[in-house]
Amino acid sequence: SQKIEQNSEALNIQEGKTATLTCNYTNYSPAYLQWYRQDPGRGPVFLLLIRENEKEKRKERLKVTFDTTLKQSLFHITASQPADSATYLCALTSGGYNKLIFGAGTRLAVHP
Amino acid sequence: ETGVTQTPRHLVMGMTNKKSLKCEQHLGHNAMYWYKQSAKKPLELMFVYSLEERVENNSVPSRFSPECPNSSHLFLHLHTLQPEDSALYLCASSQGGGGFRDTDTQYFGPGTRLTVL
């Protein structure tokens, strides 16, 4: 069956360090992968989209990699700040109508 | 804010009640979505509307009834719900329209926290 896996355990890191979150998928061949941020009590907010023919995408302190051979995406936040604390969701496009399949998310806590 | 609003933000209802959730987008988008988010579970897509026509119905029980009167408004009518339906219900919109593009970003509202007693 199709599955998207994100580390369900919270990731705790020190301010200033690089946070790395993992998204693995099985039985998909997505052309695109997206990352969203979700704060408690709020809806997800789009961060980055990466295409299957792009190995890496950057936006300010964010970097996403996409390895279609490993079926894995890594999401990095460099020079992390307490304000980066949130749950980060990866999502794949599946089928028509821009249908997104989400992982359960990884909660990131950045400590001062 | 994202340009997508949802009301009410919180709703408590009994199993025999009938209530409606409302979503409005101010982005000029043509596609709208309902998602369900339960604790510790991934977002589940419920319905997709494109140009006011329902194009996806993900095996959702009939006690959930969507309505899209125009491209800016989306409703979710609730009737005889079960306690396991308690969750955060999220509305989203994207450019969509005649041709969905996989690169279209989805913009989410803040959600309605629903509790069924």
Side-chain angles (χ1 to χ4, degrees):
Chain A
S1 64
Q2 297 175 321
K3 193 188 292 186
I4 302 173
E5 289 184 338
Q6 294 185 255
N7 192 337
S8 59
E9 294 181 13
L11 179 63
N12 292 283
I13 66 166
Q14 201 72 25
E15 182 176 8
K17 301 291 186 185
T18 296
T20 298
L21 286 70
T22 304
C23 175
N24 295 298
Y25 59 93
T26 56
N27 296 324
Y28 281 112
S29 295
Y32 308 91
L33 187 145
Q34 302 185 29
W35 283 88
Y36 286 76
R37 168 182 172 146
Q38 186 173 22
D39 291 285
R42 309 188 97 166
V45 175
F46 171 77
L47 295 175
L48 280 168
L49 177 148
I50 187 166
R51 293 170 169 77
E52 62 177 342
N53 60 352
E54 296 176 317
K55 297 299 180 188
E56 182 179 296
K57 196 82 168 277
R58 291 176 185 261
K59 179 183 175 182
E60 298 173 353
R61 294 185 295 110
L62 309 180
K63 184 179 85 171
V64 172
T65 63
F66 191 12
D67 189 326
T68 55
T69 301
L70 292 178
K71 295 187 181 293
Q72 180 182 78
S73 175
L74 298 179
F75 178 81
H76 306 272
I77 305 176
T78 58
S80 60
Q81 305 166 0
D84 295 325
S85 299
T87 296
Y88 291 87
L89 311 172
C90 73
L92 304 176
T93 308
S94 175
Y97 308 119
N98 195 16
K99 182 177 171 181
L100 288 179
I101 309 298
F102 282 86
T106 298
R107 189 165 61 86
L108 172 67
V110 181
H111 302 283
Chain B
E1 297 301 328
T2 62
V4 180
T5 58
Q6 290 186 244
T7 54
R9 294 293 309 277
H10 301 272
L11 178 62
V12 179
M13 59 187 288
M15 288 191 285
T16 58
N17 291 157
K18 286 184 182 181
K19 297 286 184 183
S20 295
L21 310 184
K22 179 182 175 183
C23 175
E24 183 174 0
Q25 58 95 1
H26 310 273
L27 302 168
H29 288 164
N30 295 305
M32 296 187 78
Y33 310 77
W34 278 117
Y35 288 87
K36 174 183 178 183
Q37 187 175 34
S38 304
K40 306 291 185 186
K41 287 181 150 183
L43 273 77
E44 301 170 52
L45 180 65
M46 300 175 73
F47 302 104
V48 181
Y49 275 82
S50 173
L51 297 171
E52 301 138 48
E53 179 184 343
R54 191 191 311 179
V55 295
E56 182 96 14
N57 177 348
N58 255 9
S59 303
V60 179
S62 59
R63 56 185 184 268
F64 295 92
S65 174
E67 179 190 1
C68 188
N70 56 63
S71 59
S72 298
H73 293 85
L74 185 65
F75 294 89
L76 188 62
H77 303 299
L78 315 172
H79 177 49
T80 59
L81 295 192
Q82 305 297 312
E84 59 264 30
D85 296 322
S86 299
L88 181 68
Y89 288 85
L90 290 159
C91 171
S93 71
S94 72
Q95 189 59 49
F100 279 79
R101 297 175 306 175
D102 287 346
T103 52
D104 283 351
T105 298
Q106 291 191 19
Y107 293 80
F108 286 82
T112 295
R113 172 69 61 187
L114 174 67
T115 302
V116 182
L117 302 175

